[in-house]
Short mmCIF file of all heavy atoms in Angstrom, two decimals:
data_model
loop_
_atom_site.label_atom_id
_atom_site.label_comp_id
_atom_site.label_asym_id
_atom_site.label_seq_id
_atom_site.Cartn_x
_atom_site.Cartn_y
_atom_site.Cartn_z
N ASN A 295 0.35 8.02 25.18
CA ASN A 295 1.03 7.19 26.18
C ASN A 295 2.01 8.01 27.01
O ASN A 295 2.11 7.81 28.23
CB ASN A 295 1.75 6.03 25.50
CG ASN A 295 0.84 4.84 25.26
OD1 ASN A 295 0.49 4.13 26.19
ND2 ASN A 295 0.46 4.64 24.01
N PHE A 296 2.73 8.89 26.35
CA PHE A 296 3.67 9.73 27.10
C PHE A 296 2.93 10.59 28.12
O PHE A 296 3.32 10.66 29.29
CB PHE A 296 4.48 10.61 26.15
CG PHE A 296 5.40 11.57 26.87
CD1 PHE A 296 6.59 11.11 27.41
CD2 PHE A 296 5.06 12.90 27.03
CE1 PHE A 296 7.44 11.98 28.10
CE2 PHE A 296 5.89 13.78 27.71
CZ PHE A 296 7.09 13.32 28.24
N LEU A 297 1.86 11.24 27.70
CA LEU A 297 1.10 12.09 28.61
C LEU A 297 0.42 11.27 29.71
O LEU A 297 0.29 11.73 30.84
CB LEU A 297 0.05 12.89 27.84
CG LEU A 297 0.60 13.97 26.90
CD1 LEU A 297 -0.53 14.57 26.07
CD2 LEU A 297 1.32 15.06 27.68
N LEU A 298 0.01 10.07 29.38
CA LEU A 298 -0.65 9.22 30.37
C LEU A 298 0.27 8.91 31.54
O LEU A 298 -0.17 8.88 32.70
CB LEU A 298 -1.09 7.91 29.71
CG LEU A 298 -1.83 6.92 30.60
CD1 LEU A 298 -3.25 7.40 30.88
CD2 LEU A 298 -1.84 5.53 29.97
N LEU A 299 1.57 8.71 31.26
CA LEU A 299 2.46 8.18 32.29
C LEU A 299 3.67 9.06 32.59
O LEU A 299 4.54 8.66 33.37
CB LEU A 299 2.95 6.79 31.86
CG LEU A 299 1.83 5.74 31.77
CD1 LEU A 299 2.26 4.54 30.96
CD2 LEU A 299 1.40 5.32 33.16
N ARG A 300 3.73 10.24 32.04
CA ARG A 300 4.90 11.10 32.27
C ARG A 300 5.00 11.53 33.72
O ARG A 300 4.01 11.62 34.44
CB ARG A 300 4.87 12.33 31.37
CG ARG A 300 3.77 13.32 31.69
CD ARG A 300 4.04 14.70 31.10
NE ARG A 300 5.18 15.36 31.74
CZ ARG A 300 5.54 16.63 31.53
NH1 ARG A 300 4.85 17.36 30.68
NH2 ARG A 300 6.57 17.15 32.14
N GLY A 301 6.21 11.82 34.15
CA GLY A 301 6.48 12.36 35.47
C GLY A 301 7.11 13.73 35.36
O GLY A 301 7.23 14.29 34.26
N PRO A 302 7.55 14.30 36.48
CA PRO A 302 8.10 15.66 36.46
C PRO A 302 9.42 15.79 35.73
O PRO A 302 9.81 16.89 35.34
CB PRO A 302 8.24 16.01 37.95
CG PRO A 302 8.28 14.69 38.65
CD PRO A 302 7.42 13.77 37.85
N GLN A 303 10.15 14.66 35.54
CA GLN A 303 11.42 14.69 34.83
C GLN A 303 11.38 13.77 33.61
O GLN A 303 12.34 13.06 33.30
CB GLN A 303 12.56 14.28 35.76
CG GLN A 303 12.96 15.35 36.77
CD GLN A 303 14.04 16.27 36.22
OE1 GLN A 303 15.19 15.89 36.03
NE2 GLN A 303 13.66 17.51 35.94
N SER A 304 10.25 13.79 32.89
CA SER A 304 10.08 12.93 31.73
C SER A 304 10.17 13.73 30.43
O SER A 304 9.64 14.84 30.36
CB SER A 304 8.72 12.22 31.77
OG SER A 304 8.63 11.36 32.89
N LEU A 305 10.82 13.13 29.43
CA LEU A 305 10.97 13.76 28.12
C LEU A 305 10.60 12.77 27.03
O LEU A 305 10.80 11.56 27.18
CB LEU A 305 12.41 14.23 27.90
CG LEU A 305 12.98 15.25 28.90
CD1 LEU A 305 14.44 15.53 28.57
CD2 LEU A 305 12.18 16.53 28.89
N LEU A 306 10.09 13.29 25.92
CA LEU A 306 9.65 12.47 24.79
C LEU A 306 10.61 12.64 23.61
O LEU A 306 11.01 13.75 23.28
CB LEU A 306 8.25 12.89 24.37
CG LEU A 306 7.68 12.21 23.11
CD1 LEU A 306 7.48 10.72 23.33
CD2 LEU A 306 6.37 12.88 22.69
N ALA A 307 10.94 11.51 22.98
CA ALA A 307 11.70 11.52 21.74
C ALA A 307 10.95 10.67 20.72
O ALA A 307 10.63 9.52 20.99
CB ALA A 307 13.11 10.98 21.94
N VAL A 308 10.64 11.26 19.56
CA VAL A 308 9.95 10.54 18.49
C VAL A 308 10.87 10.53 17.27
O VAL A 308 11.36 11.58 16.85
CB VAL A 308 8.61 11.20 18.12
CG1 VAL A 308 7.84 10.32 17.13
CG2 VAL A 308 7.77 11.45 19.37
N THR A 309 11.11 9.35 16.72
CA THR A 309 11.98 9.24 15.56
C THR A 309 11.42 8.22 14.59
O THR A 309 10.66 7.33 14.97
CB THR A 309 13.41 8.83 16.00
OG1 THR A 309 14.28 8.84 14.87
CG2 THR A 309 13.41 7.44 16.61
N GLY A 310 11.76 8.38 13.33
CA GLY A 310 11.31 7.43 12.33
C GLY A 310 12.09 6.12 12.39
O GLY A 310 13.15 6.04 13.03
N PHE A 311 11.54 5.09 11.72
CA PHE A 311 12.22 3.81 11.65
C PHE A 311 12.03 3.23 10.26
O PHE A 311 10.91 2.96 9.83
CB PHE A 311 11.67 2.83 12.70
CG PHE A 311 12.40 1.51 12.72
CD1 PHE A 311 13.53 1.34 13.51
CD2 PHE A 311 11.97 0.46 11.93
CE1 PHE A 311 14.21 0.14 13.51
CE2 PHE A 311 12.65 -0.75 11.92
CZ PHE A 311 13.77 -0.92 12.72
N GLU A 312 13.14 3.04 9.55
CA GLU A 312 13.17 2.38 8.24
C GLU A 312 14.40 1.47 8.21
O GLU A 312 15.50 1.95 7.98
CB GLU A 312 13.23 3.40 7.10
CG GLU A 312 11.95 4.21 6.90
CD GLU A 312 12.05 5.12 5.70
OE1 GLU A 312 13.10 5.78 5.53
OE2 GLU A 312 11.09 5.16 4.90
N LYS A 313 14.20 0.20 8.52
CA LYS A 313 15.27 -0.78 8.67
C LYS A 313 16.07 -0.53 9.95
O LYS A 313 16.51 -1.47 10.61
CB LYS A 313 16.20 -0.81 7.45
CG LYS A 313 15.51 -1.27 6.18
CD LYS A 313 16.50 -1.37 5.03
CE LYS A 313 15.80 -1.86 3.76
NZ LYS A 313 16.74 -1.95 2.62
N LYS A 314 16.27 0.72 10.30
CA LYS A 314 16.88 1.08 11.57
C LYS A 314 16.33 2.44 12.01
O LYS A 314 15.70 3.16 11.23
CB LYS A 314 18.41 1.13 11.46
CG LYS A 314 18.93 2.19 10.53
CD LYS A 314 20.45 2.18 10.52
CE LYS A 314 21.01 3.28 9.62
NZ LYS A 314 22.50 3.29 9.65
N ALA A 315 16.55 2.76 13.27
CA ALA A 315 16.04 4.02 13.80
C ALA A 315 16.75 5.19 13.15
O ALA A 315 17.97 5.16 12.93
CB ALA A 315 16.23 4.07 15.32
N ILE A 316 16.00 6.24 12.85
CA ILE A 316 16.56 7.43 12.22
C ILE A 316 16.91 8.43 13.33
O ILE A 316 16.18 9.37 13.63
CB ILE A 316 15.57 8.04 11.21
CG1 ILE A 316 15.11 6.98 10.21
CG2 ILE A 316 16.21 9.22 10.46
CD1 ILE A 316 14.00 7.43 9.29
N TYR A 317 18.04 8.18 13.96
CA TYR A 317 18.55 9.09 14.99
C TYR A 317 19.38 10.19 14.33
O TYR A 317 19.42 10.32 13.12
CB TYR A 317 19.39 8.33 16.01
CG TYR A 317 18.63 7.32 16.85
CD1 TYR A 317 19.26 6.17 17.31
CD2 TYR A 317 17.28 7.49 17.17
CE1 TYR A 317 18.58 5.23 18.09
CE2 TYR A 317 16.60 6.57 17.94
CZ TYR A 317 17.25 5.44 18.40
OH TYR A 317 16.58 4.50 19.15
N GLN A 318 20.04 10.99 15.13
CA GLN A 318 20.96 12.05 14.70
C GLN A 318 20.25 13.32 14.23
O GLN A 318 20.75 14.41 14.43
CB GLN A 318 21.90 11.57 13.57
CG GLN A 318 22.70 10.33 13.88
CD GLN A 318 23.91 10.58 14.74
OE1 GLN A 318 24.27 11.70 15.02
NE2 GLN A 318 24.54 9.51 15.19
N GLU A 319 19.08 13.18 13.59
CA GLU A 319 18.39 14.33 13.02
C GLU A 319 17.32 14.88 13.98
O GLU A 319 16.82 14.15 14.83
CB GLU A 319 17.72 13.93 11.70
CG GLU A 319 18.67 13.34 10.68
CD GLU A 319 17.94 12.72 9.50
OE1 GLU A 319 16.70 12.85 9.45
OE2 GLU A 319 18.60 12.11 8.65
N PHE A 320 16.97 16.14 13.80
CA PHE A 320 15.89 16.75 14.59
C PHE A 320 14.56 16.49 13.90
O PHE A 320 14.40 16.76 12.71
CB PHE A 320 16.12 18.25 14.74
CG PHE A 320 15.01 18.95 15.47
CD1 PHE A 320 14.83 18.76 16.84
CD2 PHE A 320 14.12 19.77 14.80
CE1 PHE A 320 13.80 19.39 17.52
CE2 PHE A 320 13.09 20.42 15.47
CZ PHE A 320 12.93 20.22 16.84
N HIS A 321 13.60 15.92 14.65
CA HIS A 321 12.29 15.57 14.10
C HIS A 321 11.20 16.36 14.83
O HIS A 321 11.21 16.46 16.05
CB HIS A 321 12.01 14.08 14.27
CG HIS A 321 13.05 13.19 13.65
ND1 HIS A 321 13.17 13.02 12.29
CD2 HIS A 321 14.02 12.41 14.20
CE1 HIS A 321 14.16 12.18 12.02
NE2 HIS A 321 14.69 11.80 13.17
N TYR A 322 10.25 16.88 14.04
CA TYR A 322 9.12 17.61 14.64
C TYR A 322 7.93 17.52 13.70
O TYR A 322 8.10 17.46 12.48
CB TYR A 322 9.49 19.07 14.89
CG TYR A 322 8.64 19.75 15.95
CD1 TYR A 322 9.01 19.69 17.28
CD2 TYR A 322 7.47 20.42 15.61
CE1 TYR A 322 8.24 20.30 18.27
CE2 TYR A 322 6.70 21.03 16.59
CZ TYR A 322 7.08 20.97 17.91
OH TYR A 322 6.31 21.56 18.88
N ARG A 323 6.73 17.50 14.30
CA ARG A 323 5.48 17.51 13.54
C ARG A 323 4.49 18.41 14.22
O ARG A 323 4.60 18.70 15.42
CB ARG A 323 4.91 16.08 13.46
CG ARG A 323 5.48 15.26 12.32
CD ARG A 323 4.93 13.86 12.35
NE ARG A 323 3.47 13.80 12.21
CZ ARG A 323 2.84 13.04 11.33
NH1 ARG A 323 3.54 12.33 10.46
NH2 ARG A 323 1.54 12.99 11.30
N PRO A 324 3.47 18.92 13.48
CA PRO A 324 2.49 19.82 14.08
C PRO A 324 1.79 19.23 15.32
O PRO A 324 1.45 19.98 16.25
CB PRO A 324 1.48 20.05 12.95
CG PRO A 324 2.27 19.86 11.70
CD PRO A 324 3.25 18.78 12.01
N GLU A 325 1.59 17.90 15.35
CA GLU A 325 0.94 17.30 16.51
C GLU A 325 1.72 17.53 17.81
O GLU A 325 1.14 17.53 18.90
CB GLU A 325 0.76 15.79 16.31
CG GLU A 325 -0.21 15.41 15.20
CD GLU A 325 0.50 15.12 13.91
OE1 GLU A 325 1.51 15.81 13.61
OE2 GLU A 325 0.06 14.21 13.19
N LEU A 326 3.02 17.73 17.69
CA LEU A 326 3.84 17.94 18.87
C LEU A 326 3.65 19.32 19.49
O LEU A 326 4.18 19.60 20.57
CB LEU A 326 5.32 17.73 18.54
CG LEU A 326 5.71 16.33 18.05
CD1 LEU A 326 7.20 16.27 17.72
CD2 LEU A 326 5.37 15.27 19.09
N ASP A 327 2.91 20.19 18.83
CA ASP A 327 2.66 21.53 19.35
C ASP A 327 1.61 21.55 20.47
O ASP A 327 1.24 22.60 20.95
CB ASP A 327 2.18 22.47 18.23
CG ASP A 327 3.33 23.15 17.52
OD1 ASP A 327 4.44 23.15 18.08
OD2 ASP A 327 3.13 23.66 16.41
N ILE A 328 1.16 20.40 20.89
CA ILE A 328 0.09 20.31 21.87
C ILE A 328 0.40 21.08 23.15
O ILE A 328 1.53 21.08 23.64
CB ILE A 328 -0.20 18.82 22.20
CG1 ILE A 328 -1.41 18.69 23.11
CG2 ILE A 328 1.02 18.16 22.83
CD1 ILE A 328 -1.84 17.25 23.31
N SER A 329 -0.62 21.77 23.67
CA SER A 329 -0.54 22.45 24.96
C SER A 329 -1.77 22.04 25.75
O SER A 329 -2.89 22.46 25.45
CB SER A 329 -0.51 23.97 24.77
OG SER A 329 -0.45 24.63 26.02
N ILE A 330 -1.58 21.23 26.73
CA ILE A 330 -2.69 20.59 27.43
C ILE A 330 -2.71 20.93 28.92
O ILE A 330 -3.57 20.49 29.67
CB ILE A 330 -2.64 19.06 27.22
CG1 ILE A 330 -3.96 18.39 27.56
CG2 ILE A 330 -1.47 18.44 27.95
CD1 ILE A 330 -4.02 16.93 27.18
N GLY A 331 -1.75 21.74 29.36
CA GLY A 331 -1.67 22.07 30.78
C GLY A 331 -0.94 20.99 31.56
O GLY A 331 -0.43 20.02 31.01
N ALA A 332 -0.94 21.16 32.87
CA ALA A 332 -0.27 20.20 33.75
C ALA A 332 -1.25 19.09 34.14
O ALA A 332 -2.46 19.29 34.15
CB ALA A 332 0.24 20.91 35.00
N PRO A 333 -0.75 17.91 34.48
CA PRO A 333 -1.64 16.83 34.92
C PRO A 333 -2.29 17.18 36.26
O PRO A 333 -1.67 17.78 37.13
CB PRO A 333 -0.71 15.62 35.06
CG PRO A 333 0.66 16.19 35.21
CD PRO A 333 0.66 17.47 34.45
N VAL A 334 -3.56 16.78 36.41
CA VAL A 334 -4.27 17.05 37.66
C VAL A 334 -4.61 15.75 38.39
O VAL A 334 -5.24 15.79 39.45
CB VAL A 334 -5.56 17.87 37.40
CG1 VAL A 334 -5.21 19.23 36.83
CG2 VAL A 334 -6.51 17.12 36.46
N GLU A 335 -4.20 14.61 37.83
CA GLU A 335 -4.42 13.32 38.48
C GLU A 335 -3.43 12.31 37.91
O GLU A 335 -2.74 12.59 36.93
CB GLU A 335 -5.85 12.83 38.24
CG GLU A 335 -6.17 12.55 36.77
CD GLU A 335 -7.59 12.05 36.54
OE1 GLU A 335 -8.38 12.05 37.51
OE2 GLU A 335 -7.90 11.67 35.39
N GLN A 336 -3.40 11.14 38.52
CA GLN A 336 -2.57 10.06 38.02
C GLN A 336 -3.35 9.22 37.01
O GLN A 336 -4.59 9.25 36.97
CB GLN A 336 -2.09 9.18 39.18
CG GLN A 336 -1.18 9.88 40.16
CD GLN A 336 0.06 10.45 39.50
OE1 GLN A 336 0.76 9.77 38.74
NE2 GLN A 336 0.37 11.72 39.80
N ALA A 337 -2.65 8.47 36.21
CA ALA A 337 -3.29 7.57 35.26
C ALA A 337 -4.09 6.51 36.00
O ALA A 337 -3.65 6.00 37.04
CB ALA A 337 -2.24 6.91 34.37
N HIS A 338 -5.25 6.17 35.47
CA HIS A 338 -6.09 5.14 36.09
C HIS A 338 -6.96 4.48 35.01
O HIS A 338 -7.26 5.10 33.98
CB HIS A 338 -6.96 5.72 37.21
CG HIS A 338 -7.90 6.77 36.73
ND1 HIS A 338 -7.52 8.09 36.55
CD2 HIS A 338 -9.21 6.71 36.39
CE1 HIS A 338 -8.56 8.80 36.13
NE2 HIS A 338 -9.59 7.98 36.01
N PRO A 339 -7.39 3.23 35.25
CA PRO A 339 -8.20 2.53 34.24
C PRO A 339 -9.69 2.83 34.39
O PRO A 339 -10.21 3.01 35.49
CB PRO A 339 -7.92 1.07 34.54
CG PRO A 339 -7.64 1.03 36.01
CD PRO A 339 -6.98 2.34 36.34
N VAL A 340 -10.36 2.92 33.26
CA VAL A 340 -11.82 2.97 33.19
C VAL A 340 -12.20 1.85 32.23
O VAL A 340 -12.06 2.00 31.02
CB VAL A 340 -12.34 4.33 32.71
CG1 VAL A 340 -13.86 4.29 32.60
CG2 VAL A 340 -11.90 5.44 33.65
N GLN A 341 -12.66 0.73 32.79
CA GLN A 341 -12.84 -0.50 32.02
C GLN A 341 -11.49 -0.87 31.38
O GLN A 341 -10.47 -0.91 32.07
CB GLN A 341 -13.97 -0.33 31.02
CG GLN A 341 -15.32 -0.07 31.70
CD GLN A 341 -16.44 0.18 30.73
OE1 GLN A 341 -16.25 0.32 29.53
NE2 GLN A 341 -17.65 0.24 31.25
N GLN A 342 -11.43 -1.09 30.06
CA GLN A 342 -10.14 -1.47 29.48
C GLN A 342 -9.33 -0.28 28.99
O GLN A 342 -8.24 -0.44 28.44
CB GLN A 342 -10.33 -2.47 28.33
CG GLN A 342 -10.81 -1.86 27.02
CD GLN A 342 -12.28 -2.10 26.77
OE1 GLN A 342 -13.08 -1.97 27.70
NE2 GLN A 342 -12.61 -2.45 25.56
N VAL A 343 -9.86 0.93 29.18
CA VAL A 343 -9.16 2.15 28.75
C VAL A 343 -8.46 2.78 29.94
O VAL A 343 -8.99 2.84 31.05
CB VAL A 343 -10.16 3.14 28.13
CG1 VAL A 343 -9.49 4.47 27.84
CG2 VAL A 343 -10.75 2.56 26.86
N TRP A 344 -7.24 3.28 29.69
CA TRP A 344 -6.53 4.05 30.70
C TRP A 344 -6.67 5.53 30.36
O TRP A 344 -6.65 5.91 29.18
CB TRP A 344 -5.06 3.65 30.74
CG TRP A 344 -4.84 2.40 31.53
CD1 TRP A 344 -5.08 1.12 31.12
CD2 TRP A 344 -4.39 2.31 32.87
NE1 TRP A 344 -4.80 0.23 32.12
CE2 TRP A 344 -4.36 0.93 33.22
CE3 TRP A 344 -3.98 3.24 33.84
CZ2 TRP A 344 -3.96 0.47 34.47
CZ3 TRP A 344 -3.57 2.79 35.08
CH2 TRP A 344 -3.56 1.42 35.40
#
Side-chain angles (χ1 to χ4, degrees):
N295 275 287
F296 176 77
L297 291 173
L298 181 74
L299 295 163
R300 68 161 292 188
Q303 285 271 290
S304 297
L305 301 176
L306 175 65
V308 187
T309 185
F311 183 89
E312 290 184 316
K313 296 183 179 180
K314 64 179 182 178
I316 307 173
Y317 294 149
Q318 305 281 352
E319 304 169 5
F320 177 71
H321 303 287
Y322 202 89
R323 275 177 60 128
E325 293 97 323
L326 298 178
D327 271 343
I328 186 173
S329 179
I330 197 171
V334 297
E335 63 180 7
Q336 296 302 311
H338 61 278
V340 177
Q341 297 176 352
Q342 77 257 43
V343 173
W344 279 78

